[in-house]
Amino acid sequence: MKLSYSHSRGITEIVVGENLDVDRYFDKYVVLSEEGLYYSNKPILLLKGGEDLKNLKNLLIIYKFFKKYKIDRSSWVLAVGGGALLDISVFAAGTYMRGVNLALMPTTLLAMVDAAIGGKGAVDWGRIKNLIGVFYQPKLVFCDLKWINTLPHRVYKSAFAELVKYGVVLDSDFFAWLESNVDKLLSRDRGALMEAIYRGAGIKAKIVELDEFDEKGIRHVLNFGHTIGHAVERASGLLHGEAVSIGIVLESKFAKELGYLSDEEFLRIRNLLLRMDLPVDMPEIDPAIVANLIEYDKKRRGEYVLMPLPTGLGKWTLEKVRIDLLKRVLKHVLH
Ligand SMILES: NC(=O)c1ccc[n+]([C@@H]2O[C@H](COP(=O)([O-])OP(=O)(O)OC[C@H]3O[C@@H](n4cnc5c(N)ncnc54)[C@H](O)[C@@H]3O)[C@@H](O)[C@H]2O)c1
Ligand SMILES: [Zn+2]
């Protein structure tokens, strides 16, 4: 199955399948891969996966690897790994010689439906995530189901939160499809997974096409569940998707209080996440800490934070929320 989206640099093709043969697409390339994942007779740089990878030191290691193998603007780089490896690879490929040809092979479900799509590359600096980044679109994305087999269950299912996010704010049919396919997804049914990846990646690609550089207010919608979710992630140490699940529930509750969502719609959202075996309640942390962390949100504008909120299933609005109000509501909701 194939999808594509267009952008300032041309077109990105997304291929969804199992045991894909990348050599059919290009023959001369170098590989950046997480240790233990990929074997190749091409020049390969192995890196340890996970968030700690995304730093300036590793970026220099990647540049040196490119230099050693005389990468130029006609060369191809294939990056194989989870969202963290893809983020630093996009940054490296997008800045080396002002951009070399890039193909991504996401190896987590979250990276297939989210991180690999849209051309945001970044490294962390100090304690701040994604502080140094670029927009640089890959030419190809290979979503290969074979990688799903080895994912630990907790990491695997955490990606469902991003799928629910797409359903709630952008596609009510997809939301209903998720409701009908929870059991299949939990058991890693191939057909259901293929459809979830195809539709999830497609929803994100459409938004990227409309607002590639995050400057028209449209790409903000992808942040639904993340204003609170990011703060929960930092305060609790939960996985990103788990924290987003809690963020979706609390932000939906906020939308309900504002009269945007009905009680029934709110309960459908919460129940779907519960059935997906994702957390929906705040862990035992001080609500004040979460509230304070929201002040550092990247979508913050002075006294306000821009929050995408659902206005019914499959619809959304960008709400300018006063931070002090959000903090008060949060403390109230969390107690
Ligand atoms: N650029 C974007 O638009 C975007 C969007 C969403 C998330 N992200 C970024 O993605 C990162 C999170 O991505 P993630 O959820 O994929 O986490 P991750 O990259 O940290 O991977 C999670 C863990 O799974 C391991 N792993 C990867 N593939 C595996 C496989 N097939 N089998 C077994 N283990 C495997 C990794 O080594 C790591 O330990 C964050 O840095 C986040 O900022 C970026
Ligand atoms: Zn996310």
Side-chain angles (χ1 to χ4, degrees):
M1 291 206 277
K2 281 187 184 174
L3 281 163
S4 64
Y5 64 96
S6 55
H7 45 73
S8 58
R9 301 180 63 85
I11 281 191
T12 296
E13 204 178 310
I14 305 166
V15 190
V16 186
E18 191 151 11
N19 297 315
L20 299 168
D21 176 15
V22 299
D23 291 332
R24 273 188 44 211
Y25 294 82
F26 39 76
D27 59 352
K28 230 180 128 252
Y29 60 98
V30 299
V31 184
L32 303 174
S33 171
E34 280 192 29
E35 284 171 9
L37 281 186
Y38 199 76
Y39 301 93
S40 172
N41 55 4
K42 312 287 178 194
I44 184 164
L45 177 66
L46 297 174
L47 297 154
K48 194 166 162 25
E51 191 66 30
D52 290 348
L53 173 63
K54 288 171 57 174
N55 62 41
L56 291 168
K57 201 170 133 246
N58 286 326
L59 191 62
L60 289 181
I61 292 173
I62 296 174
Y63 290 149
K64 281 182 189 152
F65 171 73
F66 287 169
K67 194 160 175 234
K68 178 173 172 194
Y69 288 98
K70 301 190 168 47
I71 292 298
D72 62 31
R73 286 176 60 86
S74 68
S75 310
W76 278 87
V77 172
L78 171 67
V80 186
L85 182 129
L86 300 188
D87 272 8
I88 189 170
S89 301
V90 169
F91 189 94
T95 49
Y96 193 78
M97 292 195 169
R98 297 202 182 84
V100 298
N101 297 310
L102 177 65
L104 301 180
M105 192 183 281
T107 61
T108 63
L109 180 59
L110 188 131
M112 291 182 200
V113 298
D114 193 348
I117 318 290
K120 281 190 181 177
V123 291
D124 305 334
W125 196 21
R127 294 175 63 191
I128 308 183
K129 241 179 99 107
N130 300 332
L131 188 61
I132 308 176
V134 287
F135 285 98
Y136 186 70
Q137 300 293 345
K139 289 199 166 157
L140 283 159
V141 178
F142 299 107
C143 296
D144 193 325
L145 263 67
K146 75 174 174 200
W147 300 112
I148 301 288
N149 301 332
T150 49
L151 286 177
H153 196 55
R154 190 172 162 203
V155 174
Y156 166 70
K157 68 182 171 135
S158 71
F160 295 163
E162 304 288 1
L163 296 175
V164 172
K165 172 187 83 175
Y166 295 147
V168 173
V169 277
L170 290 165
D171 189 335
S172 56
D173 284 346
F174 186 53
F175 185 89
W177 182 87
L178 288 170
E179 287 181 314
S180 311
N181 286 276
V182 174
D183 296 335
K184 285 186 179 166
L185 287 172
L186 279 170
S187 63
R188 307 190 194 199
D189 173 272
R190 284 346 228 188
L193 255 174
M194 189 85 93
E195 182 159 356
I197 295 167
Y198 185 80
R199 292 177 75 167
I203 292 168
K204 174 146 185 198
K206 215 185 295 166
I207 294 299
V208 173
E209 209 165 49
L210 292 170
D211 186 11
E212 181 185 356
F213 297 110
D214 216 347
E215 60 196 3
K216 297 183 186 156
I218 301 171
R219 205 167 166 163
H220 275 349
V221 67
L222 301 171
N223 211 42
F224 170 58
H226 287 64
T227 310
I228 295 176
H230 275 146
V232 171
E233 185 180 357
R234 286 176 60 193
S236 69
L238 286 173
L239 296 179
H240 176 75
E242 293 171 335
V244 168
S245 173
I246 293 167
I248 289 174
V249 174
L250 293 182
E251 292 178 23
S252 298
K253 197 163 184 180
F254 192 48
K256 183 167 80 83
E257 307 291 321
L258 292 173
Y260 290 152
L261 275 187
S262 67
D263 287 353
E264 192 212 332
E265 287 166 329
F266 170 72
L267 283 176
R268 275 179 74 186
I269 296 167
R270 190 174 185 277
N271 283 341
L272 177 57
L273 291 162
L274 264 179
R275 288 178 58 216
M276 289 171 154
D277 202 17
L278 289 172
V280 294
D281 295 316
M282 201 63 179
E284 287 291 311
I285 41 178
D286 183 354
I289 296 178
V290 176
N292 285 331
L293 279 169
I294 287 176
E295 299 214 76
Y296 295 98
D297 195 279
K298 276 205 289 286
K299 303 290 183 289
R300 182 186 163 161
R301 303 285 181 275
E303 296 304 303
Y304 296 88
V305 63
L306 295 174
M307 258 179 107
L309 290 176
T311 52
L313 288 177
K315 293 181 290 182
W316 65 285
T317 186
L318 195 59
E319 188 83 9
K320 205 172 159 192
V321 183
R322 278 193 71 91
I323 289 184
D324 52 359
L325 169 73
L326 184 62
K327 283 168 85 168
R328 253 185 291 135
V329 172
L330 252 183
K331 279 181 193 158
H332 170 71
V333 169
L334 297 179
H335 271 303

